[in-house]
Amino acid sequence: MSKVKKENALWWQSAVFYQIYPKSFQDSNHDGIGDINGIISRLPYLHQLGIDAIWLSPIYSSPNVDNGYDIDNYYEILAEFGTMKDVEQLIAEAKTFGIRIVMDLVVNHTSDQHPWFLEAEKGNKKYQDYYIWQKEPPNDLQSFFGGTAWTFNEKQNRYYLHLFSKNQPDLNWENPNMREDIWKMMRFWIGKGIGGFRLDVIDLIGKQPEKEILGDGPNLHTYLQEMYHEALKEKDLVTIGETGSVTPETAPLYTAPERNELSMVFQFQHMALDEQSGHSKWALKKLSVPELKKVLSKWQTALPENAWNSLFWSNHDQPRILSRWGDGNYPLESGKMLAILLHLMRGTPFIYQGEEIGMTNFPIHSAKQIQDIESQNFYQNQQKTGIAKEKIFESINTKGRDNARTPMQWDNTIFGGFSTVSPWYPVNPNHKQINVEANLKNSESLFYTYQKLILLRKKYPIIIWGSYELLDTAPTIFAYKRNYEHETWLVCANFSDQETFYSFSEEPETTVISNYNVTYSSINNLNLRPYETFVVKLKP
Ligand code: GLC
Ligand code: CA
């Protein structure tokens, strides 16, 4: 088997990415809404953390039904975020810090306010064929946000497909004119000097809705190859596909370099571990650590050497990882454990804004506080079926997307340093304790663990290239080895609030990082404290 060598490293394989949700990162003009100039003002902070690239959630013109994932003009910036000039300045200033800007590409659907859809509604034949229409719904396909995926359009007197909200009609990828318009738009953004794209729900573009084939449709990879040739190939860009349906078996189809499709994919199998199988994400289940070990390890080992993966715990669609799989009684220990476990794996790590300072979920108690369309729909549908409110809120507070979207907590002032006025969504009251300023002041904070993990990645190629082997340990001990060029590291985490005994037969040579500030001279007969985690280089 050919081994990927560090000489051949691509920038995005050694990089660490940071996701920004613009609406909630930093307000600069006192309207309570995050904006581009706010991001620019925080570049020094991101540089201090050490990241190489920013994945920017959508900043395009949008009616904001789905917070920017419903675009009505790909060439314009949402006014409340700023102007195209601001974006150009962001790209340029980020570059001075060695940071690339990766745009979110939302091309499975547009907004129903996009001129293409408005034209289609009016009867313009060219643009009608940009979307997917049926005289009668061919099936009872459900949208991901709940309810039917086929909505009747009065003007057209027929139904159109929308896999998300009814204000997000799906584009017809079978139409070459439509595809050409997408390539043109991508080339426009590439011309601005961006670092690449994160491709929203891209596994859906090959869908055949009449057959209820959604992810992984027959023409999916043909379109991705066309995209590469028409838009991507000339520049050294990263492309990260959001692929909810991907498995270790299909991942190489997207990411094997010789296929010329994407750089890497986001897989979601670990994110499904705390939902009851066969149900939606709202059907809660406790995480089983052995299952987590199994799923993540499968992704570590099943990919061929030349395929690449991403690593993440959090994003704007997921609850906060510290509330989800960390432990409120041991926030620092469990937060560091999660960070170390993930960043020591093979693949490119993504940090979601605020994860690095230990931000947590935001419990809501009234329907009025629900901002996200997915949660709003869930709430309404559940209410109709007579489910008790407490139960609905339990699901929303555990899994809802608003949890990740509260304003970034910069300091302990009234609006958390996010804004000088009351923000579009309340700042989590725990910003008094949990904020950037407090993290930066304390050398033992979570921030410095993330910073150190990024530094380690720059220094030790074993983190990027090493092979991975899960160790057969106690159920709640998550331990694995990385091996590269005669060097072996051992990563061990006690994923539990219980003290756990474990004895390794190996001998450590040096301690790379640990969350209890311990130097491990021996790893035999360990009494691991709650969430105790360490990485050691083993004696040869
Ligand atoms: C992706 C985005 C999510 C959005 C959906 C529809 O999953 O991450 O936020 O709602 O696509 O665009
Ligand atoms: Ca603003």
Side-chain angles (χ1 to χ4, degrees):
M1 201 193 290
S2 71
K3 233 187 163 17
V4 190
K5 280 277 189 246
K6 70 170 190 242
E7 306 75 272
N8 305 333
L10 296 160
W11 69 267
W12 42 264
Q13 293 179 307
S14 53
V16 175
F17 283 67
Y18 187 92
Q19 184 192 352
I20 289 183
Y21 198 67
K23 198 167 184 178
S24 300
F25 192 62
Q26 177 68 62
D27 176 23
S28 73
N29 63 345
H30 321 290
D31 63 357
I33 299 170
D35 46 57
I36 309 289
N37 282 325
I39 300 174
I40 295 175
S41 74
R42 293 301 187 177
L43 287 171
Y45 166 75
L46 297 173
H47 182 61
Q48 182 181 1
L49 178 60
I51 53 112
D52 306 279
I54 293 170
W55 153 23
L56 206 54
S57 274
I59 53 167
Y60 316 93
S61 175
S62 164
N64 267 333
V65 170
D66 187 17
N67 275 357
Y69 285 89
D70 48 321
I71 296 166
D72 66 17
N73 189 336
Y74 292 103
Y75 296 89
E76 262 175 35
I77 305 306
L78 182 65
E80 60 194 31
F81 287 163
T83 63
M84 189 61 85
K85 263 205 138 38
D86 298 337
V87 177
E88 286 162 0
Q89 198 194 338
L90 170 65
I91 296 170
E93 292 212 12
K95 197 165 174 204
T96 67
F97 289 101
I99 296 174
R100 303 183 208 226
I101 302 295
V102 171
M103 298 293 280
D104 216 313
L105 187 76
V106 188
V107 292
N108 172 68
H109 46 266
T110 64
S111 159
D112 62 351
Q113 299 307 304
H114 193 288
W116 296 341
F117 195 76
L118 297 177
E119 279 301 308
E121 273 187 318
K122 278 193 228 148
N124 180 329
K125 285 256 167 339
K126 174 174 179 200
Y127 292 109
Q128 278 176 352
D129 202 30
Y130 275 39
Y131 296 91
I132 300 169
W133 304 91
Q134 293 284 347
K135 263 270 134 265
E136 290 296 328
N139 46 40
D140 68 348
L141 200 61
Q142 295 293 296
S143 102
F144 290 108
F145 290 163
T148 176
W150 298 103
T151 287
F152 187 69
N153 183 275
E154 301 268 338
K155 295 192 187 119
Q156 275 295 303
N157 194 31
R158 49 183 181 161
Y159 293 78
Y160 65 94
L161 177 78
H162 58 89
L163 293 180
F164 295 89
S165 84
K166 66 177 190 321
N167 305 105
Q168 292 164 295
D170 278 52
L171 285 166
N172 173 19
W173 274 78
E174 288 176 13
N175 178 347
N177 296 325
M178 193 289 293
R179 297 204 299 276
E180 186 47 53
D181 267 336
I182 301 292
W183 312 149
K184 197 172 114 200
M185 177 272 285
M186 291 175 76
R187 291 191 293 259
F188 168 83
W189 280 103
I190 294 167
K192 299 245 171 250
I194 60 167
F197 298 100
R198 174 266 187 187
L199 298 93
D200 191 63
V201 292
I202 202 67
D203 58 331
L204 299 177
I205 63 172
K207 73 189 105 34
Q208 294 199 329
E210 47 314 317
K211 294 189 190 147
E212 305 199 22
I213 298 174
L214 298 181
D216 218 2
N219 289 327
L220 167 64
H221 293 286
T222 319
Y223 299 149
L224 290 177
Q225 286 167 14
E226 187 177 311
M227 178 188 285
Y228 179 84
H229 287 288
E230 296 294 328
L232 301 166
K233 71 169 176 227
E234 253 116 70
K235 291 258 163 64
D236 183 14
L237 301 169
V238 71
T239 46
I240 312 130
E242 188 204 17
T243 51
S245 65
V246 75
T247 63
E249 291 72 38
T250 59
L253 296 176
Y254 295 90
T255 65
E258 69 277 7
R259 289 178 55 86
N260 288 326
E261 295 191 18
L262 303 178
S263 315
M264 58 182 129
V265 289
F266 285 126
Q267 65 84 16
F268 289 88
Q269 293 188 325
H270 62 311
M271 294 281 110
L273 292 176
D274 54 7
E275 70 196 36
Q276 293 165 34
S277 83
H279 289 77
S280 77
K281 73 181 216 179
W282 306 109
L284 306 179
K285 188 182 110 182
K286 201 174 167 306
L287 174 74
S288 134
V289 176
E291 275 187 41
L292 181 67
K293 284 167 32 173
K294 204 169 109 196
V295 168
L296 288 181
S297 299
K298 176 146 197 223
W299 277 94
Q300 289 293 294
T301 53
L303 290 190
E305 284 285 341
N306 61 354
W308 199 251
N309 200 7
S310 64
L311 306 166
F312 72 97
W313 289 129
S314 333
N315 64 38
H316 66 293
D317 295 327
Q318 303 293 335
R320 291 279 175 187
I321 193 60
L322 200 54
S323 305
R324 188 179 195 174
W325 296 339
D327 187 328
N329 294 322
Y330 299 93
L332 206 53
E333 294 80 359
S334 63
K336 290 179 180 180
M337 172 195 75
L338 289 162
I340 296 170
L341 268 179
L342 193 78
H343 283 241
L344 263 288
M345 288 186 183
R346 191 168 193 274
T348 299
F350 283 72
I351 302 167
Y352 179 67
Q353 67 182 42
E355 177 187 326
E356 78 281 14
I357 56 163
M359 281 177 63
T360 64
N361 283 353
F362 179 82
I364 56 175
H365 305 287
S366 85
K368 281 201 298 287
Q369 289 175 296
I370 307 175
Q371 278 282 340
D372 173 33
I373 180 165
E374 183 191 39
S375 298
Q376 283 171 352
N377 288 352
F378 172 71
Y379 181 84
Q380 278 155 16
N381 292 339
Q382 293 295 97
Q383 276 241 302
K384 274 188 218 140
T385 57
I387 311 269
K389 271 199 181 155
E390 302 77 69
K391 227 168 150 64
I392 310 178
F393 281 124
E394 193 198 349
S395 284
I396 290 179
N397 285 330
T398 313
K399 283 293 191 65
R401 306 196 298 181
D402 286 324
N403 283 309
R405 301 178 179 184
T406 63
M408 180 74 179
Q409 294 164 207
W410 295 101
D411 59 35
N412 65 7
T413 59
I414 169 160
F415 303 122
F418 166 74
S419 180
T420 53
V421 302
S422 177
W424 73 277
Y425 201 80
V427 185
N428 194 318
N430 68 18
H431 77 275
K432 294 263 177 254
Q433 299 80 42
I434 301 171
N435 59 63
V436 167
E437 199 177 77
N439 265 258
L440 293 180
K441 269 196 214 137
N442 171 5
S443 63
E444 299 304 317
S445 72
L446 187 57
F447 175 90
Y448 291 110
T449 292
Y450 274 91
Q451 186 192 54
K452 183 163 182 190
L453 287 166
I454 297 172
L455 284 171
L456 289 171
R457 191 174 174 82
K458 307 277 172 247
K459 202 164 159 198
Y460 297 107
I462 187 172
I463 298 181
I464 303 166
W465 306 121
S467 63
Y468 174 99
E469 181 199 349
L470 179 71
L471 301 179
D472 187 11
T473 52
T476 57
I477 291 189
F478 195 159
Y480 56 85
K481 277 183 184 167
R482 302 290 310 273
N483 184 279
Y484 182 71
E485 291 186 339
H486 312 295
E487 188 170 322
T488 304
W489 287 15
L490 188 149
V491 179
C492 170
N494 176 23
F495 207 130
S496 157
D497 61 357
Q498 301 297 308
E499 204 167 279
T500 311
F501 175 83
Y502 198 75
S503 191
F504 290 97
S505 51
E506 290 86 349
E507 295 294 329
E509 190 173 275
T510 49
T511 303
V512 180
I513 189 169
S514 73
N515 66 347
Y516 272 84
N517 253 335
V518 183
T519 301
Y520 294 80
S521 51
S522 156
I523 51 174
N524 317 135
N525 301 322
L526 291 167
N527 268 318
L528 292 164
R529 287 161 281 185
Y531 306 101
E532 184 165 351
T533 302
F534 60 81
V535 182
V536 289
K537 178 186 170 189
L538 296 178
K539 279 194 184 143

